[in-house]
């Protein structure tokens, strides 16, 4: 017998008799539960989605426009129209269903803003809570320009002409060489 088998067998034998009696049925019960859970999840995932009512060509264009104006919350750098994430698919279905109900574009956008916040819009509105978002890049650009101008002025001051002593010292240094 191998040492590995003897070690595992001796560890099993060290268990009390009552535990050994219930170990195999308990393991089987856990395995069966896991198999049923995986099977149920698979069955739920493979069920077809309910069919959405057909939209007119004008409503389909509105749906595309709305999908391009909303951000995918999973991808965050893609619109709903560009994203393949399951959440984006669900959000496109919501747009489709709301258009079929006869809601306006503004009502649909308001629905998504109330549900997910202003971040869901690809072009967030200009209001006090989003001022930093809109004005932040310009403020950083102005700050960078100010730092550049200040640095260039300091360099101009630092490059004052050499005095006679400094020229003589530099000449002596250059003449002596290493």
């Amino acid at each position: 017998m191998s040492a590995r088998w003897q070690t595992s067998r001796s560890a099993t034998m060290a268990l009390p008799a009552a535990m050994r009696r219930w170990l195999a049925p308990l393991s089987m019960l856990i395995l069966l539960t896991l198999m049923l859970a995986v099977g149920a999840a698979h069955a739920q995932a493979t069920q077809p989605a309910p069919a959405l009512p057909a939209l007119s060509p004008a409503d389909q264009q509105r749906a595309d426009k709305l999908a391009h104006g909303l951000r995918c919350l999973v991808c965050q750098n893609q619109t709903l129209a560009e994203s393949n994430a399951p959440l984006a698919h669900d959000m496109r279905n919501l747009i489709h269903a709301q258009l079929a109900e006869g809601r306006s574009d503004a009502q649909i956008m308001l629905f998504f803003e109330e549900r997910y916040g202003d971040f869901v819009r690809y072009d967030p509105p200009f209001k006090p809570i989003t001022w930093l978002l809109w004005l932040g890049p310009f403020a950083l650009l102005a700050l960078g320009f100010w730092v550049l101008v200040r640095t260039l002025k300091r360099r101009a001051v630092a490059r004052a002409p050499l005095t006679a002593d400094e020229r003589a010292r530099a000449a002596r240094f250059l003449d002596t060489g290493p």
Side-chain angles (χ1 to χ4, degrees):
M1 282 193 220
S2 72
R4 177 191 243 177
W5 186 82
Q6 286 178 348
T7 304
S8 64
R9 184 170 181 226
S10 63
T12 306
M13 293 304 224
L15 292 173
M19 286 182 89
R20 279 196 313 260
R21 198 173 331 137
W22 289 99
L23 189 62
L26 183 62
S27 300
M28 292 302 289
L29 183 63
I30 291 171
L31 183 61
L32 182 62
T33 304
L34 286 173
M35 289 173 52
L36 288 173
V38 168
H42 179 69
Q44 184 180 14
T46 57
Q47 288 181 357
L52 294 171
L55 292 177
S56 68
D59 282 345
Q60 188 60 46
Q61 284 182 336
R62 287 177 53 205
D64 290 341
K65 181 182 172 192
L66 287 167
H68 279 88
L70 293 170
R71 180 185 313 275
C72 173
L73 298 172
V74 175
C75 307
Q76 295 187 2
N77 63 344
Q78 290 182 327
T79 65
L80 288 182
E82 298 167 341
S83 176
N84 291 327
L87 179 63
H89 179 72
D90 292 342
M91 291 172 77
R92 285 191 300 265
N93 285 345
L94 276 172
I95 291 171
H96 189 100
Q98 289 185 9
L99 284 173
E101 291 174 4
R103 293 196 178 156
S104 69
D105 292 358
Q107 289 173 324
I108 295 171
M109 288 298 266
L110 184 63
F111 168 79
F112 281 104
E113 284 178 18
E114 287 174 352
R115 193 168 193 180
Y116 300 109
D118 289 330
F119 180 75
V120 76
R121 292 184 61 158
Y122 223 71
D123 56 343
F126 188 75
K127 55 186 183 182
I129 199 163
T130 60
W131 283 353
L132 183 62
L133 179 67
W134 282 101
L135 301 176
F138 298 111
L140 287 175
L141 184 65
L143 178 68
F145 184 71
W146 177 76
V147 168
L148 177 68
V149 168
R150 191 168 176 210
T151 303
L152 291 176
K153 282 185 179 180
R154 281 188 182 169
R155 283 186 183 177
V157 170
R159 291 188 181 170
L162 297 175
T163 63
D165 286 340
E166 290 172 337
R167 279 192 205 133
R169 185 173 169 216
R172 278 193 311 261
F173 179 73
L174 290 173
D175 288 338
T176 57

